[in-house]
Amino acid sequence: MPSQPKIRYGHLIALVGCDGSGKSSLSADLVRILGRNRKTVYGYLGLGSGDLGRRIGQWPLLGPLLEKKLTSKAKKTRTKGEKIPGFITALVVFIFSLIRLKRFRRVKKAVEKGYLVITDRYPQAEIAGQCDGPGLSAARTNNPFIRAMASIEKRLYLKMAAFKPDLIIFLEVDAQTAHQRKPDHDIEALQTKIDIMPHITFNGAPKKIIDASQPYDKVKQNVIAKLSAAKFL
């Protein structure tokens, strides 16, 4: 017989939105504020691959060239209709997904134990290649090993997405504002994420939309008001 899902004694609030919408700052502040009244912890559910690439770009001499090459390969891998550029690239993407799975399991365990968990990002299985979705299901490949990895990865994302947050806080921001806050990010990539994010349902989880283009203190007040209305404060 299939195992029964564990009882969730805690709650999960996920902050989602484009880079530059304030997820990291807000999640840290919310853990501090909500932690005054109940056990509250932070969970990062991103890949971290973008930050790694930017750090590589800061290396002397070959850093910028290597970052450009890695970025190009990553872009092809997550673009529908493109061809995944080789087994090594696919393997790296798959390994990052396994790292995300490990982080997700820590979050899930904390929720089941009774913690209120605030996450920066949340995995979804609706749109591949973008916005924390499966990394190997958007582009095409004829390699049977890459196809096998893509199939396994897709199942992992479906399993993660099935564990729905109790509340999604969607931080809505425009590309210009996001780029001003994250000038090292590509503005076209930011706009792509902004266009996609509203279409993701996160498996039907309750969602509150916040205008994150406003000054940070105003955004934080609005988020706290939403959480208070939802009885999390």
Side-chain angles (χ1 to χ4, degrees):
M1 293 180 62
S3 60
Q4 295 297 317
K6 293 184 179 179
I7 298 174
R8 295 171 62 161
Y9 292 102
H11 294 91
L12 174 58
I13 299 171
L15 274 61
V16 304
C18 175
D19 299 339
S21 60
K23 298 185 300 296
S24 298
S25 298
L26 274 169
S27 56
D29 277 342
L30 291 178
V31 168
R32 176 178 53 82
I33 294 168
L34 276 64
R36 297 168 184 166
N37 300 318
R38 60 185 298 186
K39 298 181 296 183
T40 306
V41 295
Y42 166 80
Y44 175 69
L45 291 180
L47 290 178
S49 55
D51 290 335
L52 177 61
R54 283 181 283 274
R55 288 198 296 272
I56 289 173
Q58 295 173 1
W59 293 356
L61 300 178
L62 294 178
L65 183 62
L66 183 56
E67 181 194 12
K68 185 176 180 180
K69 186 174 182 179
L70 293 173
T71 300
S72 176
K73 287 179 178 291
K75 185 176 181 180
K76 286 184 178 180
T77 301
R78 65 173 180 260
T79 301
K80 187 175 182 180
E82 289 282 357
K83 184 177 182 180
I84 296 176
F87 178 79
I88 298 299
T89 299
L91 180 61
V92 170
V93 172
F94 185 73
I95 289 172
F96 271 109
S97 289
L98 293 180
I99 293 171
R100 170 176 274 157
L101 176 64
K102 183 178 179 180
R103 292 170 177 155
F104 168 80
R105 284 174 172 168
R106 287 200 297 263
V107 165
K108 183 173 180 286
K109 188 174 182 179
V111 174
E112 290 169 348
K113 284 186 173 182
Y115 286 89
L116 171 61
V117 183
I118 311 293
T119 69
D120 176 349
R121 302 173 178 266
Y122 204 76
Q124 52 86 16
E126 301 166 58
I127 299 177
Q130 297 285 346
C131 302
D132 301 304
L136 295 174
S137 298
R140 56 188 174 83
T141 181
N142 294 322
N143 188 309
F145 297 104
I146 297 177
R147 286 181 176 176
M149 282 193 293
S151 177
I152 294 169
E153 184 197 50
K154 178 70 173 182
R155 291 197 297 271
L156 294 179
Y157 274 82
L158 286 168
K159 187 173 182 178
M160 288 188 284
F163 191 79
K164 294 193 297 185
D166 294 282
L167 183 64
I168 292 282
I169 298 292
F170 174 33
L171 301 170
E172 200 171 45
V173 67
D174 63 272
Q176 291 296 333
T177 300
H179 192 248
Q180 287 173 5
R181 296 172 180 172
K182 299 283 187 178
D184 57 340
H185 287 51
D186 179 71
I187 193 167
E188 291 185 6
L190 294 174
Q191 185 63 62
T192 298
K193 291 181 181 180
I194 288 168
D195 293 341
I196 291 173
M197 286 299 304
H199 301 288
I200 302 172
T201 70
F202 293 96
N203 209 22
K207 181 193 294 187
K208 300 294 182 182
I209 301 174
I210 301 291
D211 180 5
S213 296
Q214 302 176 92
Y216 178 74
D217 285 343
K218 180 65 174 177
V219 175
K220 183 168 70 172
Q221 290 175 8
N222 290 341
V223 171
I224 291 173
K226 295 290 186 183
L227 294 178
S228 179
K231 309 299 183 183
F232 285 107
L233 284 174

